[in-house]
Amino acid sequence: MRLTDPVETLKGVGPAAVKKLQILGIKTIYDLIDYIPRRYDDYSHLQLIKDTQPGPVTLQVTISQAKGRYVRRGLHITEAVATDASGSVKLTWFNQPYRASAIKPGQLYYISGEFGFNGRQLNITNPSIELVSDFPVNTARILPIYRETKGFTSKQIRLQVKNAIPLIRKLPETLPDWIVEEYDLLDRANAYEGLHFPESSESLAEARKRLAFEEVFRLSLASMLVKQEAERSDATPVAFNEKLAKEFVSNLPFDLTNGQRRAVWSIYKDIEKPHPMNRLLEGDVGAGKTVVAAMSAVMALQAGYQVAVMAPTELLARQHADTLTTLLQPLGLADRVRLLVGGMTKKQKENLKQAIKQESGSLIVGTHALLESDVLPKDLALIVVDEQHRFGVEQRKKLMKKSAKTPHVLSMTATPIPRSLALTLYGEMEITILDEKPGNRKNIKTHLVPPTDRPKIYTALKTELDSGRQAFVVCPLVSESETLPVKSAEEAFEQLSKGPLKAYKIGLLHGKMKPADKDVIMQQFVRRELDVIVSTTVIEVGVDVPNATVMLVENPERFGLAQLHQLRGRVGRSEHQGHCYLMLADSKAPSRRLKAIASSTDGFKLAELDLELRGPGAIYGTLQHGALDLRIARLSDVKLIADARASAQKFISNGDNLLHYKELHKHVTQLQKVTQLN
Ligand code: ADP
Ligand code: MG
C-alpha cells in the first residue's frame, strides 16, 4: 500500500466514508494523514464520577444495564449505567439503536462527553465510548477538531485517520538528518501521529513544531532557489540617469518622503543590473507608491525601453494613466502613455496593440487586458504590478513572459503584511516598506457612531460638503438582501438622495456596473461634479481623490480590519482633516476590532491585531497566493520561522543536493512553480 493510493484501499474505510472524505478534499491516504486539525478539545483528564461538574468530562468506567427502545416512531433511546469506584451515572444515546448490543459488560471503558442535567437527573448524553484496551481516538485524550462536513464529524474523521495509523508509523523522513538533529525535531512519523493522536499537550506542541518547521523550511527553500535562479537569468540593464531623476523630482509639487527616496534609490540600483529585479513595495494606503513607480518607469522610458503597469481594475488603470501622464508632462514624456483596458472598442484595441509591437519607449498602462496573448511589447524592460495581491501568480507570470529577457518587476501592495510574514511568503522578493506618510497628511479621525447619532453625522457631513469637500458612503452590498439586515448601496443612494442629502449631487458606484459607467461616475467625482459617491467596496483599491474628506461606512462589522483600513485610506489624502464614520448597526458595545480601528491609524498594527484576533486567514483572505498558505506554522512562531529560514539558507550554502531528498524535492518543486515568476 502506498501513500498515493486512494483512501478506500485502507482497511476499514467504507464507501460512505469515501464519499464524505472526498467532500473534504481527501482522496489519497496521504491527503488523509495530512489533514491538519483546526484545533483541539482537551478530554485527557480522567475524573471520578463523584467529582464531576457539569461540562466536558472523561471517565473510566464499566457499563451495565444497557437497553434500547423506541419511545415513538423515529425516536430511539438507549440507556445504560456507568460505574466507577466512586459512584454511578446514567448514559443516554439518541437514535443509535446498535448501541446496546455493542457494549461489552464487565469491560473497562473510557467515556467522554458533556456531563449535565436532563431535567430530572444528572446524566451524560451521547457520550463517546471506547474500550480502554483499544487505541482510543475519541475519548480520554486531547481530541483534534477537523474541518467537518454534513453528517461527518471529527469523531468519524478520527476513526478514518485511525485506519491509517500503520502507514503513519511508516512515514519516511523528509528533512535532512542534520536539520532534525540540530533543531531537535521529532521524526516525521511521530510528528503526524502526535498531530492526530497527541499523548499530551507537550507532545502535541512537539508535533506541531516539527511540521511547522518543515512547512516554513520548504517555503523558504523554494523561494531562495527561485531567487537564485532569477539572479542567474538575463534582464535589460537600465542605466541610472542622474540628471533625469533630479529633473523629475524638481517638477513634483511636493518633496519626496525619505521612505520614497530610499525606495527609488534601491530600485535604481536593482534595475541597473543585468539580472531581473523582483521587489515588493509595501506601503500603507496613501503612502505614495505611484510616484515611486513613475520614477522607476521614467528611467526605462528615457533609455528607450517599454514599461508595463498593470492594475486590478479599469478605474485604477485609467487613474494611473492620468496620473502618470501628469507626472511625465514636465519631462516631455507625456505622449508615451498608452492605456489598454477592456472597455475600449475593438478597433482602438487593435491599433494600440499594433503600436505596442513596434514602438519603443512607451508606458503601457492596463488591466488584465495586458495579459492577452496578442499584446506583445517590443522591448519590455520593467513591469509594475499595482495591488499585486489582487493578481494570481499565474497572471504575473504571464506578463513576465512577454519579453525575451526577464523583465524587472516592481510589485506594489497596500496590504500591510508584517515583515515576518512577508519574508516567509515572499522570500523570493526584496522587500521595501514605505512606513512613512507624506508630511502634509493629517491622521484621519475614525469615529464609532451609535444609531442615535446618525442625524448629527449627516449635519457634520453637510458642513464638509458646504465647504467644498466631497464624501464617500460605503455599503457592504449592491442591492437589498432579503436575508441580510444590511444596508445596500442602492438603498442608501435612494434614501440619501430623497432625504438628508437632497440638496447635493450624488452618484452611485458599484461592482455590477459596466466599467465605462463606473468610469463616468468616477470622472464626475474627480471633476467635482458630484459631491458624494455611494458605493460598495469597488472604491477600496487605490482610488485617489484628495478633495474627498469624509467617509461613512454602513455596517462596518461586515468588513475586515484590513479592508476598513483600505477604505478609509480613500479620504484624508490631502492637507484637509479626513473623517471616517463607522455607522454602528445597533447600540450594543462595539467589538474589539472596531474599537481598534477607531483608535489606530497604523495599518501594520491593525494587521498584527487581525492576525491575533482572527488568525492569518484575516490577512491571507486579502492575499491570493494559492499554495503559499501556511497551514501549520503560526506567524507568532517567530523563533521557529527564523530557525527554519536559517536552515534553508544553510542547506543551500552547504551545497546540499535537493535531488537526494525525494519527497522534499517534490514539494519544493511544487512550491517553486507557484513562487517563481518566470
Ligand atoms: P498609494 O501608496 O496608496 O498608491 P498614491 O501614490 O496614490 O498612494 O499617493 C497618494 C497621494 O499622495 C497622491 O495624491 C500623491 O500625489 C500624494 N503624494 C505622494 N507622495 C507625496 C509626498 N511625498 N508628499 C505629498 N504628497 C504626496
Ligand atoms: Mg496606489
Side-chain angles (χ1 to χ4, degrees):
M1 206 167 9
R2 271 177 298 174
L3 291 168
T4 46
D5 288 343
V7 274
E8 53 261 45
T9 38
L10 278 177
K11 230 177 99 188
V13 180
V18 168
K19 250 196 203 145
K20 296 292 186 180
L21 288 170
Q22 202 118 46
I23 297 174
L24 296 172
I26 300 169
K27 294 194 186 98
T28 66
I29 300 177
Y30 182 71
D31 292 342
L32 180 64
I33 294 175
D34 198 38
Y35 197 60
I36 311 294
R38 299 157 66 106
R39 58 179 186 85
Y40 295 82
D41 279 346
D42 191 352
Y43 278 92
S44 64
H45 302 286
L46 292 183
Q47 283 169 279
L48 289 174
I49 291 176
K50 74 171 168 52
D51 298 332
T52 45
Q53 304 283 332
V57 295
T58 299
L59 306 168
Q60 196 183 69
V61 296
T62 53
I63 301 176
S64 57
Q65 301 170 43
K67 272 194 299 281
R69 67 196 153 94
Y70 278 94
V71 248
R72 55 179 154 82
R73 249 181 75 186
L75 181 59
H76 183 277
I77 291 188
T78 306
E79 289 177 320
V81 176
T83 308
D84 70 8
S86 76
S88 301
V89 64
K90 193 169 161 197
L91 308 178
T92 314
W93 289 274
F94 291 102
N95 291 334
Q96 300 185 13
Y98 54 87
R99 239 340 140 190
S101 59
I103 289 169
K104 297 177 183 150
Q107 299 265 23
L108 264 187
Y109 280 96
Y110 286 125
I111 64 180
S112 287
E114 283 292 309
F115 185 75
F117 192 67
N118 74 353
R120 283 180 297 134
Q121 58 184 352
L122 288 167
N123 79 340
I124 306 178
T125 304
N126 292 334
S128 300
I129 70 171
E130 289 171 303
L131 283 170
V132 170
S133 57
D134 249 355
F135 181 86
V137 298
N138 279 320
T139 58
R141 61 164 79 240
I142 298 173
L143 299 177
I145 310 295
Y146 303 88
R147 189 167 62 82
E148 304 175 344
T149 182
K150 211 172 164 222
F152 202 67
T153 63
S154 292
K155 253 190 209 184
Q156 276 112 4
I157 298 171
R158 288 176 211 134
L159 290 170
Q160 305 309 333
V161 183
K162 183 182 178 178
N163 292 318
I165 286 181
L167 272 144
I168 293 180
R169 293 191 172 149
K170 277 190 283 185
L171 278 174
E173 185 49 72
T174 41
L175 284 175
D177 291 340
W178 64 265
I179 293 185
V180 176
E181 257 162 56
E182 190 168 329
Y183 295 93
D184 200 14
L185 303 173
L186 282 187
D187 65 58
R188 187 149 165 268
N190 269 312
Y192 272 105
E193 185 163 345
L195 187 76
H196 294 291
F197 309 112
E199 294 294 340
S200 65
S201 52
E202 292 76 33
S203 65
L204 173 60
E206 283 298 306
R208 291 189 58 99
K209 175 184 157 192
R210 145 73 207 225
L211 296 172
F213 193 102
E214 180 162 6
E215 182 172 46
V216 178
F217 171 76
R218 279 186 203 158
L219 202 53
S220 307
L221 190 56
S223 56
M224 284 170 194
L225 291 173
V226 167
K227 195 168 170 184
Q228 240 184 12
E229 208 171 294
E231 276 158 9
R232 284 193 214 114
S233 62
D234 293 333
T236 307
V238 177
F240 174 58
N241 178 335
E242 190 178 351
K243 191 168 151 274
L244 183 66
K246 283 197 167 140
E247 198 184 338
F248 185 101
V249 173
S250 68
N251 280 299
L252 284 175
F254 45 73
D255 290 331
L256 290 179
T257 64
N258 286 328
Q260 285 170 321
R261 257 182 251 280
R262 274 196 297 272
V264 170
W265 184 239
S266 32
I267 292 166
Y268 283 163
K269 280 204 299 205
D270 278 357
I271 61 178
E272 247 184 343
K273 295 180 190 147
H275 305 292
M277 167 178 82
N278 190 8
R279 189 170 282 274
L280 177 66
L281 180 63
E282 255 197 278
D284 211 344
V285 283
K289 296 184 289 293
T290 316
V291 174
V292 175
M295 284 194 75
S296 315
V298 149
M299 268 316 139
L301 295 181
Q302 187 70 313
Y305 302 114
Q306 285 168 306
V307 177
V309 177
M310 186 163 70
T313 64
E314 195 158 330
L315 209 80
L316 252 192
R318 286 176 191 274
Q319 182 184 290
H320 275 323
D322 289 349
T323 309
L324 291 168
T325 306
T326 314
L327 287 170
L328 295 181
Q329 194 88 53
L331 307 176
L333 294 172
D335 63 337
R336 302 288 186 88
V337 181
R338 312 279 173 271
L339 177 67
L340 183 66
V341 289
M344 296 164 50
T345 67
K346 225 172 157 187
K347 187 87 198 126
Q348 282 174 320
K349 268 198 204 166
E350 256 156 42
N351 289 342
L352 185 54
K353 286 175 184 174
Q354 207 49 44
I356 290 170
K357 259 183 219 167
Q358 289 159 7
E359 66 193 5
S360 41
S362 56
L363 177 60
I364 312 150
V365 185
T367 53
H368 303 82
L370 292 180
L371 301 173
E372 287 165 24
S373 56
D374 54 348
V375 178
L376 292 166
K378 177 167 169 261
D379 209 343
L380 187 61
L382 170 69
I383 294 174
V384 179
V385 182
D386 194 20
E387 311 291 347
Q388 67 107 22
H389 57 280
R390 291 290 177 119
F391 293 97
V393 173
E394 287 304 320
Q395 290 172 316
R396 280 180 269 158
K397 267 192 220 174
K398 225 173 181 173
L399 193 56
M400 295 197 56
K401 288 211 181 103
K402 294 199 175 279
S403 157
K405 286 187 182 177
T406 312
H408 301 288
V409 179
L410 174 64
S411 303
M412 308 200 291
T413 182
T415 307
I417 313 161
R419 189 177 272 276
S420 61
L421 174 55
L423 279 173
T424 310
L425 294 182
Y426 303 122
E428 76 284 3
M429 296 194 240
E430 305 294 332
I431 294 167
T432 304
I433 296 183
L434 281 185
D435 50 7
E436 174 187 5
K437 289 210 176 171
N440 65 348
R441 286 311 138 70
K442 293 204 174 58
N443 262 340
I444 172 163
K445 288 196 177 133
T446 303
H447 317 260
L448 298 172
V449 183
T452 43
D453 281 359
R454 189 175 276 271
K456 250 195 258 170
I457 300 310
Y458 285 143
T459 309
L461 171 61
K462 284 192 266 191
T463 311
E464 283 287 307
L465 297 179
D466 290 340
S467 65
R469 305 281 86 77
Q470 290 162 285
F472 292 105
V473 176
V474 182
C475 303
L477 296 178
V478 176
S479 337
E480 207 171 337
S481 153
E482 302 203 337
T483 47
L484 292 174
V486 166
K487 245 300 159 69
S488 74
E490 284 172 352
E491 217 181 325
F493 176 73
E494 190 85 352
Q495 283 171 4
L496 291 172
S497 346
K498 285 187 185 147
L501 301 181
K502 212 166 156 185
Y504 302 87
K505 290 179 289 290
I506 312 185
L508 177 65
L509 185 74
H510 58 70
K512 286 191 187 155
M513 290 163 55
K514 285 203 200 99
D517 295 341
K518 278 193 253 180
D519 197 48
V520 169
I521 297 288
M522 212 53 224
Q523 289 307 328
Q524 288 175 341
F525 193 63
V526 171
R527 290 196 302 262
R528 303 196 189 182
E529 290 162 20
L530 288 174
D531 302 305
V532 180
I533 283 190
V534 179
S535 87
T536 54
T537 51
V538 284
I539 56 145
E540 176 193 340
V541 171
V543 171
D544 183 32
V545 181
N547 190 50
T549 54
V550 185
M551 172 171 289
L552 254 71
V553 182
E554 298 287 353
N555 301 97
E557 70 283 357
R558 315 246 355 143
F559 300 96
L561 276 188
Q563 206 177 16
L564 283 174
H565 184 64
Q566 284 259 10
L567 277 171
R568 70 177 170 183
R570 302 304 116 216
V571 295
R573 294 169 80 88
S574 67
E575 72 280 9
H576 304 296
Q577 176 65 55
H579 291 277
C580 174
Y581 298 101
L582 303 177
M583 312 301 284
L584 301 173
D586 51 45
S587 41
K588 279 189 233 142
S591 66
R592 189 167 157 212
R593 289 176 48 236
L594 291 183
K595 278 191 203 147
I597 190 134
S599 61
S600 175
T601 51
D602 183 334
F604 284 88
K605 263 204 197 122
L606 291 169
E608 306 260 3
L609 184 73
D610 241 4
L611 206 69
E612 186 190 316
L613 292 179
R614 304 200 301 160
I619 298 182
Y620 289 170
T622 64
L623 306 173
Q624 291 178 3
H625 49 63
L628 295 191
D629 272 316
L630 290 179
R631 299 182 315 143
I632 311 174
R634 300 204 177 103
L635 287 153
S636 45
D637 300 340
V638 179
K639 173 149 174 24
L640 180 140
I641 290 178
D643 283 351
R645 286 181 52 80
S647 64
Q649 197 81 60
K650 212 159 155 189
F651 184 94
I652 291 179
S653 58
N654 283 351
D656 231 343
N657 190 346
L658 194 52
L659 292 171
H660 294 161
Y661 306 90
K662 213 173 124 231
E663 272 300 295
L664 185 63
H665 179 248
K666 203 179 76 195
H667 287 293
V668 169
T669 322
Q670 188 62 34
L671 283 170
Q672 269 178 295
K673 275 198 200 128
V674 182
T675 314
Q676 205 163 32
L677 287 176
N678 45 29

